[in-house]
Amino acid sequence: MMRPKRYVPDLRQLGALGDGNYQRLRKLRQLEADGQPVAEFELHREHQYLGRVRIEILQTARFTETLLLEQVHNAGHWLNNPKMTVRVYHDASMAEVISCYRGRQIAPVNDYPNRYMHHPDEKMQVNSFLTDWLDYCLRFGHLPMEHAVWTSGDCQN
């Protein structure tokens, strides 16, 4: 019986995701109100409320930060609120998901099948999801109304 070929991560692709996610996070974290960084922002599509996202700094070191990104509310009942712990490497300008939903750390490669039913390329998948989620936040994210300094007609993406 032939064993399936072992998954080997594409380090270039993972590196590109990490670099892009670092840049997306940088843009998101530039939201300020009264000169202070905004830790929460709302998601709106035109006049439709989509949810609220929080970025919390869990740990800071000389060249790294650990952030908790969490959608704390959403307008639909069909969606699980994403919750990811992200390590930001300022010296390398990269960001990577280290855990989801406060779960255990994500291994770079998983044997399959496994106890948690993680995919062999789980790390690639969650970092790719982070890309999509951050793009969504950049497209639909707005300061909460109590901090808004512009009207919805002024905001250009």
Side-chain angles (χ1 to χ4, degrees):
M1 184 167 124
M2 291 207 30
R3 291 175 50 136
K5 190 175 176 188
R6 183 165 167 82
Y7 168 74
V8 177
D10 181 338
L11 296 180
R12 269 196 193 151
Q13 185 182 6
L14 200 56
L17 285 171
D19 178 57
N21 286 339
Y22 181 86
Q23 300 305 327
R24 288 173 186 87
L25 270 170
R26 238 180 52 139
K27 282 183 190 170
L28 263 183
R29 294 179 73 194
Q30 289 173 353
L31 280 177
E32 288 188 350
D34 304 320
Q36 298 298 312
V38 172
E40 283 193 21
F41 54 91
E42 293 181 349
L43 302 169
H44 291 270
R45 184 187 304 122
E46 295 170 11
H47 299 292
Q48 180 187 12
Y49 171 80
L50 302 171
R52 192 172 184 106
V53 174
R54 175 184 304 141
I55 299 175
E56 180 184 338
I57 299 171
L58 298 177
Q59 189 177 46
T60 304
R62 185 168 177 196
F63 298 111
T64 62
E65 279 182 304
T66 304
L67 306 176
L68 176 64
L69 276 64
E70 178 180 19
Q71 186 154 334
V72 291
H73 187 260
N74 72 65
H77 298 291
W78 54 271
L79 180 70
N80 288 334
N81 287 333
K83 187 175 189 175
M84 298 181 149
T85 307
V86 177
R87 176 92 18 90
V88 179
Y89 304 93
H90 295 293
D91 53 341
S93 299
M94 295 188 75
E96 71 168 334
V97 178
I98 56 173
S99 70
C100 290
Y101 302 98
R102 293 269 195 196
R104 64 183 193 81
Q105 263 193 295
I106 299 166
V109 176
N110 291 296
D111 289 326
Y112 194 82
N114 58 68
R115 184 172 147 197
Y116 301 102
M117 293 310 293
H118 289 171
H119 292 273
D121 65 342
E122 190 92 8
K123 190 161 196 89
M124 190 74 74
Q125 287 189 33
V126 295
N127 280 285
S128 189
F129 174 79
L130 178 63
T131 297
D132 294 342
W133 188 26
L134 292 174
D135 281 342
Y136 184 82
C137 289
L138 285 166
R139 183 168 179 198
F140 298 113
H142 298 276
L143 289 174
M145 286 313 293
E146 62 266 23
H147 297 300
V149 291
W150 65 79
T151 64
S152 59
D154 295 339
C155 188
Q156 298 295 319
N157 286 337

